[in-house]
Amino acid sequence: MSSVSLLGLGAMGAALARTWVSAGHALTVWNRTPGRADIEGAKVAESPHEAVAAGRLVVVCLLDDDSVGAALDGVDISGKDLVNLTTSTPAQARARAAWAEERGARYLDGGIMAVPPMIGVPEAGGYVFYSGSRELFELHRDALAVPVGTKYVGEDPGFAALHDVALLSAMYGMFAGVAHAFALIRREDIDPVAFAPLLGEWIPAMAGPAVRQTAERLKSGDYTTGVVSNLAMQVAGTPTFLATAEGQGVSQELVRPYFELMRRRLDVGSGEEDLTGVVDLLLR
Ligand code: FVH
């Protein structure tokens, strides 16, 4: 069992820490605010210097990239294997990788696709995207797989963050649709709890095929062959959705921007396509 040093005992860090201790790894922890979490079986370091010095594998799970810079400022990380599970932008992850390498450390970036209750619960399906040094990922794969599953997505240290943010952005789009749907029924004699399974089954029934077909169309460049619900028909339906929102006293602000993109794509003569062309409209 390799030893692990962990900086950050917030909600996520504490959950990670407990799994390494349970699995028998020698764990040294540090948190800016002492006593934030009691990790039974872990050695508590008095400083980031002490935590980093304790072992080769150093995992950081802090609030944001600035906190990583603050915690590791002036700490000797040469010869260490730094795994950064802090949510970052791809640019921050790439800069942090260069920063670590300049200081003699090897670097792996991670994007956590789980919430704390999913940590240490394999059946919950959480995982971490990793990118950066493949050699480092392979070397520490077993230790990294203890809290939650692993998915390595490439040598570019920004790719884990990019995958993380892409999936979370899709999630927020989905949450926006859910909020709009509940708002539409909110003032009616419709039980939201009875409505929920209808919505909960509809979303994956639509999302699964749409995600797969969009990917295939983006790859092939063919946005029209085999289209079932074409853009012209879908744009013709949008006034109905907007009028329904109006009629229910619901703001159009969540759905209108997407409908406007659909209209713009139609206006350039893409009525026989599906919705894939919206992806291209978003590129600046
Ligand atoms: N919790 C979640 O649901 C999500 C799930 C997906 C991944 N995120 C990311 O994980 C990172 C850590 O999140 P967290 O849940 O542990 O966050 P907090 O409970 O707020 O703990 C934050 C820790 O960061 C320390 N910290 C903040 N600023 C500094 C600083 N300038 N120097 C050193 N440490 C700092 C903070 O220390 P303290 O406030 O207790 O002293 C906590 O240890 C995060 O990137 C999520 O986006 C979690």
Side-chain angles (χ1 to χ4, degrees), residues 130-169:
Y130 286 100
S131 70
S133 165
R134 179 182 281 279
E135 191 189 350
L136 198 56
F137 174 71
E138 296 299 343
L139 181 64
H140 295 296
R141 188 179 203 143
D142 291 347
L144 297 176
V146 166
V148 70
T150 61
K151 288 189 201 290
Y152 180 78
V153 288
E155 294 275 347
D156 183 329
F159 274 14
L162 186 55
H163 281 70
D164 181 5
V165 172
L167 264 59
L168 292 176
S169 300

Side-chain angles (χ1 to χ4, degrees), residues 174-217:
M174 184 264 296
F175 286 161
V178 168
H180 186 79
F182 275 116
L184 288 177
I185 65 154
R186 183 76 173 135
R187 295 198 183 95
E188 303 290 349
D189 185 20
I190 297 175
D191 178 357
V193 175
F195 182 73
L198 303 174
L199 194 52
E201 286 163 22
W202 178 247
I203 291 170
M206 291 296 102
V211 167
R212 194 185 62 251
Q213 285 162 12
T214 302
E216 286 165 359
R217 291 190 190 286

